[in-house]
Amino acid sequence: KMKLDVNVLRYLSKDEFRVLTATEMGMKNHEIVPAELVERIAGLRNGGAYKNMKTLLKHKLVHHDSTKYDGYRLTNLGYDYLAIKTMVNRGLITGVGRQIGVGKESDIFEVVGEDGRVMALKLHRLGRTSFRAVKSKRDYLKHRSSFNWLYLSRLAALKEYAFMKALGEHGFPVPEAIDWNRHCVLMSLVSGYPLVQVKELNNPQLAFETIMNLIVRLAEHGLIHCDFNEFNIMIDDSENITMIDFPQMVSVSHKNAQMYFDRDVECIFKFFGKRFNYAPPTAAPKKESELTDEDAEDDGRPIFEDVAGHEGALDQELAASGFTKQNQQVLEQYVENAEENDNDDGEDGVSSENDDVEGVNGLERLTVSDEDEPSTVVSTAVEGEGEDRRSDGQSQ
Ligand code: ADP
Ligand code: MG
């Protein structure tokens, strides 16, 4: 498990953060950011960037690379700290606690808010697996290969936040979407456990029907989860169901929609059969005519018009989130390629550089007080990317 020593945040000076942010800016266009560029973006006097860089290197927030030229790249940990610091500055969290989940492409930590509320922070890590082969096979990252893991992880976070928020507003049992920044999504902590950890249920039929109805209701809203299984369903002691993990959701108009839908249904069938020895009386999910009032509460309108494949303007919620149809296509392509690659040769590509990071991992109070994003730095940064709204503090 990875350790996230947020104490480091406290000890970094303003200039050190400036250099860390300058490195992030440089990564818009460079896989390895030339040392002079960091210096220039950071705008510190002679050698200022280098001096600060030493601290960042020591804490593994950046990595030095001189194979082609003298340069630096942001590490996962460096990106984590920039996002966490932003959330701290927004007054949303004051400390990071234990890791509560580790997925193929994410790490989840307990975090605590100013009022002592414990929440969940999901850090997306696209490109952690199946990365090298994907990159060589496909061209969708052609113009972005230098920083694709930052870009993709950020897109995944934006998508997850936007969907979680919209699903919640439509009455689906999902965590409360609180905020997001960079590759991180802040959400309410779900009580209970992933269904995969549950050995026995009081009422497997009820759980089964609830879950199947969720799949059907999602489809009525134009959506397919695509990863609906015992790992992404949380259940508490009263056997209440909460669904999580949305970055791979697709529209019912997706070319593989039927396959994804069937796969979701099949996963639940198989799991309930194997684990709880439960088989439903009829093989099909409830028909519309059988839905209860509770099921009918929400109107079944598509969550996001464009994801649902409709022409015209984006649904308001989606438009407000900033998640575009193009973003969806990029993520869909990534997911497809990653799946393809998983079945290929098991090459695991780039491994997490955080594995070797040591640190103290406790609920420490943070006292970082810098501004969210150093906008003065941003404005002198390299030529913009249209869709990277990094200088737009609110919507990251
Ligand atoms: P991944 O995309 O990596 O599978 P998930 O969102 O499924 O990430 O989260 C991985 C694990 O972390 C889950 O199986 C669950 O145990 C835990 N987890 C995720 N979100 C929450 C949450 N909001 N509250 C409690 N536990 C969570
Ligand atoms: Mg999951």
Side-chain angles (χ1 to χ4, degrees):
K1 278 191 175 182
M2 130 186 205
K3 297 226 169 106
L4 201 53
D5 179 10
V6 288
N7 278 311
V8 174
L9 273 175
R10 278 196 272 205
Y11 305 130
L12 291 186
S13 69
K14 208 168 169 156
D15 281 353
E16 284 157 356
F17 262 115
R18 201 176 169 84
V19 172
L20 186 61
T21 309
T23 310
E24 181 190 33
M25 293 289 122
M27 287 190 71
K28 280 184 168 193
N29 295 348
H30 301 266
E31 186 160 10
I32 307 294
V33 189
E36 320 91 84
L37 185 59
V38 177
E39 194 103 1
R40 194 143 37 90
I41 298 172
L44 295 170
R45 257 178 268 114
N46 268 348
Y50 177 70
K51 199 186 80 203
N52 291 302
M53 202 56 107
K54 281 204 294 199
T55 316
L56 304 180
L57 283 166
K58 191 178 86 189
H59 294 301
K60 299 189 169 157
L61 302 178
V62 295
H63 180 82
H64 185 218
D65 188 315
S66 54
T67 43
K68 285 186 192 138
Y69 48 82
D70 188 29
Y72 301 90
R73 69 173 168 79
L74 201 61
T75 62
N76 278 334
L77 195 62
Y79 202 41
D80 294 350
Y81 281 17
L82 286 167
I84 289 169
K85 180 173 169 288
T86 299
M87 296 215 165
V88 170
N89 291 344
R90 288 179 185 171
L92 293 164
I93 64 177
T94 60
V96 178
R98 67 190 180 97
Q99 182 163 13
I100 52 175
V102 55
K104 206 168 82 177
E105 299 194 307
S106 77
D107 291 302
I108 291 110
F109 288 84
E110 269 182 9
V111 292
V112 65
E114 283 181 341
D115 53 0
R117 178 187 182 194
V118 179
M119 298 166 286
L121 185 71
K122 178 167 177 178
L123 298 89
H124 285 272
R125 309 216 186 274
L126 271 65
R128 173 146 87 180
T129 57
S130 312
F131 171 61
R132 208 180 315 142
V134 170
K135 190 174 159 185
S136 63
K137 263 187 220 163
R138 302 294 165 137
D139 67 346
Y140 67 103
L141 289 169
K142 191 166 52 189
H143 305 293
R144 306 189 158 274
S145 59
S146 63
F147 69 117
N148 53 28
W149 64 270
L150 287 108
Y151 176 70
L152 287 167
S153 302
R154 184 181 165 282
L155 270 194
L158 167 55
K159 178 174 178 182
E160 180 143 59
Y161 174 81
F163 276 70
M164 205 186 292
K165 198 157 190 294
L167 289 168
E169 281 162 7
H170 285 261
F172 283 88
V174 296
E176 178 202 348
I178 299 168
D179 201 3
W180 75 291
N181 179 262
R182 295 180 171 83
H183 60 319
C184 294
V185 180
L186 183 64
M187 64 184 105
S188 63
L189 190 70
V190 177
S191 59
Y193 330 86
L195 192 56
V196 66
Q197 291 174 13
V198 176
K199 298 279 171 278
E200 212 176 352
L201 288 175
N202 288 325
N203 195 342
Q205 182 180 353
L206 183 63
F208 179 87
E209 285 176 1
T210 305
I211 291 165
M212 282 302 172
N213 282 334
L214 280 175
I215 297 181
V216 171
R217 197 143 66 89
L218 277 175
E220 287 168 355
H221 281 272
L223 294 172
I224 301 168
H225 187 289
C226 290
D227 204 8
F228 209 62
N229 55 41
E230 62 274 23
F231 298 93
N232 293 326
I233 294 167
M234 305 284 288
I235 188 160
D236 69 11
D237 291 334
S238 316
E239 304 191 351
N240 294 308
I241 303 285
T242 307
M243 56 176 190
I244 59 169
D245 201 2
F246 315 105
Q248 66 297 310
M249 287 184 91
V250 302
S251 156
V252 291
S253 63
H254 187 280
K255 63 180 190 315
N256 298 326
Q258 189 66 50
M259 185 272 280
Y260 288 137
F261 180 88
D262 294 346
R263 194 176 66 182
D264 279 357
V265 170
E266 189 64 22
C267 272
I268 302 303
F269 255 91
K270 276 200 180 135
F271 180 76
F272 270 76
K274 251 171 102 177
R275 177 65 59 87
F276 308 118
N277 201 19
Y278 175 80
T282 52
K286 272 203 258 182
K287 303 232 166 52
E288 200 159 355
S289 55
E290 298 168 326
L291 295 175
T292 63
D293 281 354
E294 203 182 321
D295 295 318
E297 214 170 76
D298 95 82
D299 58 18
R301 276 189 307 115
I303 297 279
F304 292 145
E305 304 276 351
D306 84 325
V307 177
H310 294 255
E311 289 292 358
L314 300 176
D315 191 83
Q316 272 184 343
E317 294 135 325
L318 183 55
S321 78
F323 186 75
T324 66
K325 194 167 185 166
Q326 204 189 357
N327 292 159
Q328 171 69 12
Q329 283 165 355
V330 169
L331 280 177
E332 274 180 18
Q333 221 173 338
Y334 173 81
V335 170
E336 271 168 38
N337 290 327
E339 282 186 358
E340 218 172 88
N341 194 50
D342 278 351
N343 302 333
D344 270 11
D345 52 11
E347 182 189 13
D348 72 45
V350 177
S351 68
S352 167
E353 65 233 330
N354 284 328
D355 293 344
D356 60 351
V357 173
E358 298 292 330
V360 188
N361 187 18
L363 274 175
E364 297 286 350
R365 186 166 178 88
L366 296 170
T367 52
V368 185
S369 59
D370 278 342
E371 62 275 10
D372 257 26
E373 322 274 333
S375 47
T376 51
V377 172
V378 175
S379 60
T380 59
V382 280
E383 320 75 67
E385 302 268 352
E387 62 270 59
D388 196 334
R389 295 148 30 260
R390 187 173 273 146
S391 55
D392 175 6
Q394 165 58 30
S395 53
Q396 280 200 54

